[in-house]
């Protein structure tokens, strides 16, 4: 079972004050994460951007922009959101850039990263008309750290970036930087190995560029992360190469700062005990099914996703969503007291890759969004969704 100590501030939240389901962001933990990231930036001389794909909640844009240099986008709409809602630097990347979007994209981005030399060569003349945008190329450094192929940008036959073995410095003519992203939820050791591989495999390109973006995927804000070691490594790399260095964490910004509060709609049993929640794995936490992983529930013990139904264990309950997808299972948990209809449960660490991925499949309402400050207990519901949000996308 994961150590929940960092997320248990949610035990002090009175969930009856919220609509359900509801995403709650703890401003205290968010600010703690942001302060730590700023310290890494300040002490290493590296610029840190928020990866909007993980966390785009612009209700906290002022807080984010107080600590970070800007945002990183993966597509046109994120680029617009970054520019118009968050401010600061806007680094845009698109695995497939559409010719029709280029003009608008250049209005938002100050750095634009192309995924292939083919795109760069096709669009170069249009792009170079734009004086104050810097262009870069995504490079696959040929180094694997990620075990799950779903999240491995450097897996064989990956479409993300140009394999470094195919690149010479001359290919980068007109480009000023390269972008690498090769990690996912990793501790420091993987970053250290990745950076060593980047130096070995991509070093022949450094003379042709003046910036490098080392991507995200690093759990910098996790308790026990060796922050000072990271700072030393980044500072040393920056000083030796003379490159401007960017990092673009997403998870590390929202880590342990978000929870999803959900109400028990029904209880039943089918060999084992069941509860239907008003939050759905497939709609509101799709990574639970895709990755897969099981989010922890405050006050309960998380059991294996493959746990078998246990007829004589009333405290072991499988929680699922309100959709008709058979696999809309959030997880199986051991409770001290089994939850009753109307109870509110708190699913932990669901601040990132959740709101940004939510859908209304089956006509399931989207969770509301609330900001809570665990230092003061101040609570603000900043957004509630309605039928119009469902209908508006359908015709
Ligand atoms: C290009 C790129 N940058 C940054 C990130 C953010 O990674 P994380 O949220 O794991 O820090 C991702 C995640 O997929 C990514 O693909």
């Amino acid at each position: 079972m994961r150590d929940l100590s960092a997320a248990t501030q949610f035990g002090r939240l009175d969930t009856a004050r919220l609509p359900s389901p509801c995403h709650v962001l703890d401003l205290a933990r968010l600010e703690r994460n942001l302060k730590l990231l700023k310290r890494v930036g300040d002490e290493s001389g590296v610029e840190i951007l928020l990866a909007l794909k993980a966390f785009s909640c612009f209700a906290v844009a002022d807080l984010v922009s107080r600590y970070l240099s800007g945002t990183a986008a993966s597509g046109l709409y994120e680029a617009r959101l970054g520019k118009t809602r968050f401010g600061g630097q806007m680094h845009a990347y698109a695995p497939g850039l559409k010719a029709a979007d280029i003009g608008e994209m250049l209005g938002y981005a100050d750095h634009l990263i192309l995924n292939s030399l083919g795109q760069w060569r096709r669009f170069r003349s249009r792009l170079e008309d734009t004086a104050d945008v810097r262009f870069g190329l995504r490079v696959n450094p040929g180094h694997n750290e990620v075990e799950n192929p779903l999240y491995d940008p450097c897996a064989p036959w990956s479409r993300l970036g140009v394999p470094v073995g195919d690149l010479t410095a001359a290919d980068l003519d007109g480009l000023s930087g390269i972008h690498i992203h090769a990690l996912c939820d990793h501790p420091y050791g993987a970053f250290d190995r990745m950076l060593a591989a980047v130096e070995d495999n991509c070093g022949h390109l450094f003379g042709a560029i003046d910036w490098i973006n080392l991507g995200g995927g690093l759990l910098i804000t996790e308790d026990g992360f060796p922050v000072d070691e990271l700072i030393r490594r980044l500072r040393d790399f920056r000083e030796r190469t003379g490159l401007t260095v960017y990092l673009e964490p997403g998870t590390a910004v929202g880590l342990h700062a978000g929870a999803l509060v959900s109400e028990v709609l029904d209880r039943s049993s089918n060999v084992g005990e069941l509860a239907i929640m008003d939050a759905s794995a497939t709609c509101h936490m799709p990574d639970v099914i895709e990755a897969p992983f099981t989010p922890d529930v405050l006050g309960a013990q998380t059991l294996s996703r493959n746990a078998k139904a246990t007829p004589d264990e009333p405290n072991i309950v499988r929680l699922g969503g309100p959709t008709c997808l058979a696999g809309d299972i959030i997880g199986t948990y051991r409770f001290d007291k089994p939850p009753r209809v109307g109870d509110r449960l708190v699913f932990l660490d669901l601040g990132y890759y959740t709101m940004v991925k939510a859908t209304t499949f089956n006509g399931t309402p989207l969770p509301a969004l609330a900001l809570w400050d665990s230092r003061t207990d101040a609570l603000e519901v900043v957004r509630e969704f309605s039928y119009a949000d469902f209908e508006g996308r359908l015709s």
Side-chain angles (χ1 to χ4, degrees), residues 7-327:
T8 46
Q9 76 272 26
F10 287 103
R12 303 198 303 274
L13 171 65
D14 175 8
T15 57
R17 294 160 72 199
L18 295 166
S20 180
C22 186
H23 281 292
V24 192
L25 286 176
D26 175 17
L27 297 171
R29 177 66 197 218
L30 191 60
E31 187 159 19
R32 177 177 147 191
N33 291 347
L34 291 164
K35 274 186 178 155
L36 186 77
L37 292 168
K38 178 168 165 47
R39 192 187 132 214
V40 170
D42 288 349
E43 295 184 19
S44 66
V46 158
E47 306 253 18
I48 304 203
L49 312 163
L50 162 65
L52 291 172
K53 76 189 71 193
F55 181 80
S56 289
C57 175
F58 58 87
V60 295
D62 285 350
L63 190 65
V64 171
S65 56
R66 213 176 297 154
Y67 295 104
L68 302 187
S69 301
T71 55
S74 308
L76 182 68
Y77 289 175
E78 278 189 359
R80 178 172 173 173
L81 190 79
K83 175 75 177 178
T84 58
R85 293 290 190 174
F86 286 83
Q89 297 182 39
M90 165 22 52
H91 293 229
Y93 159 66
L97 183 62
K98 255 177 134 157
D101 291 344
I102 289 177
E104 192 181 347
M105 191 71 130
L106 293 175
Y108 307 135
D110 43 65
H111 285 65
L112 180 62
I113 296 140
L114 287 295
N115 189 55
S116 74
L117 282 172
Q119 287 225 314
W120 169 236
R121 287 175 186 145
R122 269 201 306 287
F123 298 142
R124 179 171 180 172
S125 57
R126 277 183 70 187
L127 295 172
E128 282 183 338
D129 282 349
T130 312
D132 45 1
V133 178
R134 318 210 65 206
F135 300 105
L137 184 70
R138 176 143 177 187
V139 174
N140 176 338
H143 175 79
N144 287 78
E145 290 287 344
V146 184
E147 279 170 23
N148 184 344
L150 188 60
Y151 301 120
D152 185 2
C154 304
W157 215 354
S158 171
R159 71 191 190 294
L160 302 171
V162 184
V164 66
D166 296 349
L167 274 179
T168 64
D171 290 323
L172 300 182
D173 180 47
L175 300 164
S176 59
I178 62 173
H179 178 284
I180 310 268
H181 172 73
L183 301 178
C184 179
D185 287 356
H186 276 99
Y188 174 72
F191 178 81
D192 188 36
R193 289 191 295 275
M194 180 201 78
L195 193 52
V198 167
E199 293 197 58
D200 286 349
N201 301 347
C202 308
H204 64 291
L205 306 174
F206 290 176
I209 55 174
D210 52 46
W211 58 268
I212 184 167
N213 184 327
L214 295 171
L218 190 57
L219 292 177
I220 303 172
T221 52
E222 187 59 284
D223 291 344
F225 186 95
V227 176
D228 292 322
E229 229 174 300
L230 174 68
I231 290 170
R232 277 196 297 276
R233 183 76 168 94
L234 285 169
R235 197 191 311 125
D236 171 68
F237 173 78
R238 193 180 57 74
E239 286 172 357
R240 275 187 299 105
T241 59
L243 297 173
T244 299
V245 180
Y246 300 99
L247 291 181
E248 47 179 38
T251 300
V253 173
L255 194 68
H256 301 313
L260 182 57
V261 172
S262 171
E263 192 166 300
V264 179
L265 299 180
D266 196 15
R267 287 293 322 271
S268 59
S269 66
N270 175 9
V271 187
E273 293 298 313
L274 294 161
I276 305 262
M277 310 300 301
D278 64 0
S280 154
T282 191
C283 297
H284 307 144
M285 33 182 137
D287 285 358
V288 164
I289 295 172
E290 285 175 20
F293 81 99
T294 305
D296 291 317
V297 170
L298 196 68
Q301 183 191 355
T302 306
L303 303 181
S304 150
R305 281 195 79 70
N306 305 319
K308 295 268 178 297
T310 41
D312 302 325
E313 288 259 27
N315 289 355
I316 293 184
V317 184
R318 176 184 256 197
L319 307 182
T323 74
C324 63
L325 176 73

Side-chain angles (χ1 to χ4, degrees), residues 335-347:
F335 292 86
D336 287 341
K337 266 199 336 222
R340 290 167 309 179
V341 171
D343 283 356
R344 297 273 171 98
L345 299 182
V346 180
F347 293 92

